Amino acid sequence: MAELEAPGLRLRHWPAWLGPSAAAELLARLQAEVPWKQEAITLYGRRHPLPRLTCWMADAGCGYRYSGLSNVIEPWSPATAGLRLALEQLTGWRFNSLLLNRYRDGRDAMGWHADDEPELDPAAPIASLSLGAARDFRLRPRPRPRRPPGAPPPAGYSPSCAPFNLPLDNGDLLLMEPPTQLWWQHALPRRLRLQQERLNLTFRVVRADR
Ligand SMILES: O=C(O)CCC(=O)C(=O)O
C-alpha cells in the first residue's frame, strides 16, 4: 500500500488489491449482473448521453443526485455485497452506496469534479476499485475550493499546486480520505486509441441524518 499526500490531499493506493484472475472473474460477473444504464443530461434543451454507462446501488433511502441526475436505487448484487463487506473489514467504514461506472473503451471518460455532494458524509473516505483496462486518474487542486465555513486552507495548499497523474490498473484499490474532496478534483481523461473496457466502483457513505 502506498500513501500519497499533498496539502489537502490524502490517498491510499493498493496496487493489485485483487490479483489478475480474481479481477477478471469479478469484471465478467459485474458486466453480466449489473443493470447498466445509459443516463443523459439535458443542457439548453439538448440531451447529452453521459460518456459511460452507470448504475447506483445503495441501501434503501440512500438516494444521490449529481449532474442534475437523480439515480434510481438498485439493490446490492451478490458480487457488490461481498466487496462491500471486504471493504468494511479493511477500512472500518460501512459503505451504504456504490456508483458503478463502465467505460466501454477509451472514448468513455469522466470530467473534472469533486465528490462533495451534500448527500455524502464528508467524514467518510471514498473507496474506488478499478477493473479491466489501465487508465490515468488525474488530480488537480480545485480552482475554487468550497471550504467549510471558517476553515483555513491546509498549510502549503495553493490552487496552483501541480496536477498529477495516478495510473489505475486492473484490481487496484484507491482510498480517497477526507479532506481530499474539499480541496482537490479528479478526472478520467479520454484515451482515444484504447479499445478495452474498464469498470470503476466507488463505494460511498450517504449521510443518514438528511
Ligand atoms: O473511474 C474512475 O476512476 C473515477 C470515477 C469517479 O470519478 C467518480 O465516480 O466520481
Side-chain angles (χ1 to χ4, degrees):
M1 192 269 290
E3 294 192 14
L4 290 158
E5 298 205 358
L9 177 105
R10 280 192 67 204
L11 304 177
R12 288 200 279 157
H13 181 207
W14 286 258
W17 182 69
L18 292 178
S21 60
E25 193 182 314
L26 182 61
L27 176 85
R29 265 183 90 176
L30 294 172
Q31 284 168 330
E33 80 180 20
V34 172
W36 297 102
K37 298 175 179 63
Q38 172 66 78
E39 302 281 8
I41 51 170
T42 304
L43 279 179
Y44 304 109
R46 281 191 59 192
R47 207 172 162 272
H48 299 270
L50 292 184
R52 57 194 174 272
L53 304 181
T54 59
C55 180
W56 178 251
M57 290 184 182
D59 293 346
C62 295
Y64 182 51
R65 284 179 64 83
Y66 70 95
S67 302
L69 294 170
S70 273
N71 286 289
V72 174
I73 300 181
E74 295 290 341
W76 297 88
S77 72
T80 58
L83 282 170
R84 146 154 102 158
L85 269 183
L87 291 171
E88 185 176 350
Q89 280 160 12
L90 182 74
T91 66
W93 283 90
R94 174 88 178 151
F95 295 99
N96 58 16
S97 50
L98 164 63
L99 179 64
L100 297 107
N101 285 300
R102 182 172 187 174
Y103 306 92
R104 293 155 288 190
D105 58 27
R107 286 172 297 181
D108 278 353
M110 172 88 79
W112 286 109
H113 69 286
D115 297 324
D116 67 340
E117 290 77 8
E119 292 93 330
L120 296 176
D121 182 343
I126 293 180
S128 160
L129 177 64
S130 295
L131 300 168
R135 294 284 291 259
D136 287 334
F137 185 70
R138 302 273 304 157
L139 291 125
R140 73 176 184 194
R142 291 178 70 145
R144 281 174 301 283
R146 194 195 297 172
R147 61 176 86 159
Y157 176 84
S158 154
S160 58
C161 288
F164 67 95
N165 204 29
L166 178 62
L168 292 178
D169 209 339
N170 187 28
D172 284 13
L173 178 68
L174 179 70
L175 206 62
M176 293 186 269
E177 309 244 31
T180 304
Q181 307 297 335
L182 286 180
W183 301 101
W184 289 74
Q185 292 181 322
H186 52 272
L188 194 89
R190 290 196 166 79
R191 292 289 178 256
L192 295 182
R193 283 194 293 272
L194 177 73
Q195 293 181 352
Q196 286 80 31
E197 180 156 313
R198 170 178 184 266
L199 302 188
N200 178 259
L201 285 68
T202 45
F203 291 81
R204 299 151 186 254
V205 180
V206 166
R207 291 146 73 122
D209 59 351
R210 288 176 304 129

